[in-house]
Amino acid sequence: NIFDVSKNRECNLKIGGIDGNTVEFWLKKESFSAAATQTEVLFDIFTTASISSSLDYGRLTVEISGHGAGTSTLSPFYVTYMSGTDGLTKQNIGTSITTATVADDEWHHYAFRFKNTGSNISVDLFVDGDFNSNVTDGTTINYVSGTLVGTIGALATHPSGTDAGPPQAEKGWGKLSGSVDELRFWKVSRDSKQIQTRWFDQVGGGTNTDDANTHLGL
């Protein structure tokens, strides 16, 4: 990578509550199968050199769960956003979103926006370009340094709070059953206008060859 902080050319997977982050993607899902997996991971980033109980730990995860019988009215979406032991873990988010509305075998666009607000973290969810819900909880997080790696459609490593292998799960577990397209990870909290005017459009630019949209990490 070309490194130039003045132009936002830095770690492509940068996590930090001050600038915030945005994760957006298209998802088409036919069904949930609790028998196959409890959780299906859409996007996962973590710091490779630190365990979840350490001050150097960082994590951003977007996942869905079918929950099981009797909970079909609960939103399937959960988010994790952590630096050290601060942040929030497996926070449920979504209003009038159910397993049936997500698994309707149609394409839908979802955007998750993270940022510090006061002493908490604010997470906004947009569905098909429209604002859906906000959760303000947890504690603020700072810039996450170190080596960060990520995965699409499965866990990058075992979940936060479990620093061991199976049955807690490791890389490749929590596989997504469905289709994902045009996933974008931003190193900044996108404003509502940016999300609502670009959700159905392409976004150009990049970190290495172009000064445009260098906040676009992936």
Side-chain angles (χ1 to χ4, degrees):
N1 282 3
I2 298 172
F3 186 80
D4 187 346
V5 175
S6 68
K7 294 183 178 181
N8 305 307
R9 287 173 161 177
E10 50 196 322
C11 176
N12 287 27
L13 299 179
K14 170 191 167 186
I15 301 173
I18 297 173
D19 292 331
N21 292 100
T22 305
V23 180
E24 52 182 334
F25 51 85
W26 287 88
L27 173 66
K28 182 180 181 182
K29 186 167 177 61
E30 183 177 355
S31 63
F32 286 89
S33 175
T37 180
Q38 180 180 350
T39 300
E40 299 178 45
V41 178
L42 287 145
F43 188 54
D44 191 22
I45 301 172
F46 83 109
T47 47
T48 61
S50 305
I51 61 175
S52 59
S53 58
S54 72
L55 294 177
D56 297 327
Y57 179 75
R59 194 72 177 262
L60 188 157
T61 308
V62 178
E63 54 194 328
I64 52 178
S65 174
H67 303 298
T71 56
S72 59
T73 59
L74 188 64
S75 171
F77 286 103
Y78 291 83
V79 293
T80 295
Y81 195 57
M82 294 189 69
S83 174
T85 55
D86 295 326
L88 49 81
T89 304
K90 278 190 171 292
Q91 174 66 57
N92 187 254
I93 185 170
T95 301
S96 300
I97 301 176
T98 67
T99 53
T101 63
V102 172
D104 63 355
D105 203 25
E106 299 287 344
W107 284 104
H108 295 285
H109 185 271
Y110 301 95
F112 297 82
R113 178 172 66 187
F114 304 81
K115 194 168 186 178
N116 291 346
T117 178
S119 59
N120 304 116
I121 293 172
S122 175
V123 186
D124 293 319
L125 169 60
F126 293 76
V127 180
D128 292 334
D130 294 326
F131 173 79
N132 175 268
S133 58
N134 167 268
V135 171
T136 302
D137 203 353
T139 51
T140 58
I141 71 169
N142 293 317
Y143 173 80
V144 175
S145 61
T147 301
L148 292 138
V149 300
T151 51
I152 299 171
L155 282 168
T157 188
H158 41 73
S160 297
T162 58
D163 297 315
Q168 288 82 4
E170 291 189 344
K171 182 178 180 180
W173 286 51
K175 290 180 181 177
L176 173 70
S177 175
S179 301
V180 176
D181 200 4
E182 294 189 17
L183 187 145
R184 302 169 186 164
F185 173 74
W186 299 87
K187 300 178 288 181
V188 67
S189 176
R190 301 269 284 173
D191 65 38
S192 298
K193 181 179 179 180
Q194 290 172 322
I195 292 173
Q196 293 175 319
T197 59
R198 307 299 289 184
W199 72 278
F200 203 79
D201 201 0
Q202 296 181 356
V203 176
T207 303
N208 292 325
T209 61
D210 198 320
D211 286 348
N213 284 339
T214 54
H215 284 302
L216 181 60
L218 170 66

